[in-house]
Amino acid sequence: MKKSLQTFLNPKDFYAAQRPVLRVSFLIGMTPFTVVKGPTDLMMLRCTPFGYINSSVHVILFCSCYINTLLKGETITRFFFRTDISTLGDVLQFSIGITALIMTFFCSIFQRNKLIKSFHALANIDQKFREIGMETNYKSTLHYNLLVMCSKAVITFFYLCVCFAVFIYSSTYPSFTTWMAFLLPYFMMSMVIVIFLCFVNQAKHRFHLLNKILKHLRQTTLAKRLPSQYRSSYWQTIRIQRPLGIASVYSNNDKSMPDVVSALAEIQDALCEACSYAEEYFTIQMLTIVTIVFLIIVFNSYYVLDALIGTTSEDTAFSKKQFVLFFLCQTMVYGFGVFSIVYGSSSMLRENDNISVNVHKLLNIISYGKDFQELGTKLVNLSLQMIHRKVYFSACGLFSLDFTLIFTLVGAVTTYLVILIQYQLSMDDSTHETIARAFFGNETWI
């Protein structure tokens, strides 16, 4: 037991460090592959029949809960109040929620090779790092993955406690399928976000290592400027030492400066390829997450405003504080999910952009004599590669996953919130009754 724990806490390869995240996603049906031990005692990814069956069972279970809730006409929002706007919000959220679940599991099964290729690319990149004498610290990777999972678990636990406490104190008890239909989008979104954050952190870390190497080479060049008659021998061979601030181990192998830059160019290209595979895998899931969060923020903001300045909360079993607490808490946890996506993606993109800056800083301090022509050419080629190989994450090309998305969401939420308020103020009782009958038959909720 102790030996197994030590092996778990001291991963020796990329897949061993990713094992906790991939195992959890495998068990809950989000991915049909898991981490297994290969013939050489190193970890590898493998799709299993249980993975496909497990994903299919989860899809059937989730769809059954949604359909049963729709047939009963029972939603969490209707326990608080029943108006035409809340009904519209329920219909939209249910429609997008079930579509999101189906598309998420569809991507996990039919787009699985994209994610597998991205993980394989990162594992191969670590091998290229070793070829230039650097070992990646997988223990820090494992710690980050565990931190992300534990943080998400704590937030989820807090969210569930608030939801259940509000209903228990008001002596209201929705059915199991109603709770499942309400919570499933959040569970799905949370697991997708965890996998996404773990991937972008790995890519960011490797971009960071590239920047550290370039900075180290520049500092070494500045510190060891030699007279012109000795520069040729110095530039022919440069010993790669441990760069400042890098928690990695360098070997004692001697590498020529052009060879090091060539290796960095290959690594940067491989990182762009890995990010491209990941973007293709996550793009649909990111679109569904952004759409769900947008709808929840719009309608929940309207519900909270209506409870604070209107009379809706007076006609329910919930107090005004419970009313506001429930919808405000839901808005915060969903909004935090989008913020974590944006922050993780933006930090990785910034680290990648810094590579071109460090390349040109190195170019500025070398001389373009015949002894340095090869080095200068390789640095220029790396700079051109940075221009043509862009790292880009988006939601099906509609939204870039950077901080501009936050600005877009805030503007869109404000616009639609004003529209809902104006719509509510302009409607008379007869219009309310007509819309309510269209959704609920002869029942009216005025």
Side-chain angles (χ1 to χ4, degrees), residues 270-343:
L271 279 171
C272 292
E273 194 72 19
C275 292
S276 177
Y277 287 131
E279 200 274 337
E280 293 177 9
Y281 176 82
F282 286 108
T283 184
I284 296 178
Q285 302 180 52
M286 292 297 109
L287 178 61
T288 58
I289 289 175
V290 171
T291 305
I292 290 174
V293 172
F294 171 73
L295 288 176
I296 287 177
I297 293 178
V298 168
F299 284 98
N300 283 14
S301 299
Y302 170 78
Y303 299 153
V304 170
L305 287 176
D306 195 19
L308 292 175
I309 63 178
T311 59
T312 300
S313 60
E314 298 176 0
D315 302 328
T316 67
F318 301 90
S319 67
K320 183 173 292 188
K321 291 182 179 179
Q322 293 173 340
F323 199 101
V324 173
L325 176 63
F326 181 85
F327 288 106
L328 191 60
C329 180
Q330 185 187 24
T331 302
M332 290 176 61
V333 295
Y334 275 86
F336 179 76
V338 171
F339 178 80
S340 61
I341 291 174
V342 168
Y343 181 81

Side-chain angles (χ1 to χ4, degrees), residues 24-33 51-64 66 97-112 180 184-185 187-189 191-192 195 281 284-285 288:
V24 173
S25 65
F26 175 75
L27 292 176
I28 65 175
M30 294 297 297
T31 54
F33 52 82
Y52 294 111
I53 296 174
N54 188 36
S55 297
S56 302
V57 170
H58 278 80
V59 171
I60 295 173
L61 174 63
F62 295 165
C63 291
S64 300
Y66 269 99
I98 194 169
T99 303
L101 286 172
I102 294 174
M103 293 305 298
T104 299
F105 285 103
F106 173 85
C107 291
S108 68
I109 295 176
F110 296 100
Q111 296 287 328
R112 65 188 184 279
M180 289 293 290
L184 281 177
F187 293 152
M188 172 207 69
M189 184 186 79
M191 196 65 238
V192 172
I195 299 175
Y281 176 82
I284 296 178
Q285 302 180 52
T288 58

Side-chain angles (χ1 to χ4, degrees), residues 225-236:
R225 285 183 177 271
L226 299 177
S228 57
Q229 61 267 27
Y230 300 111
R231 286 182 183 176
S232 177
S233 60
Y234 168 69
W235 283 105
Q236 288 298 324

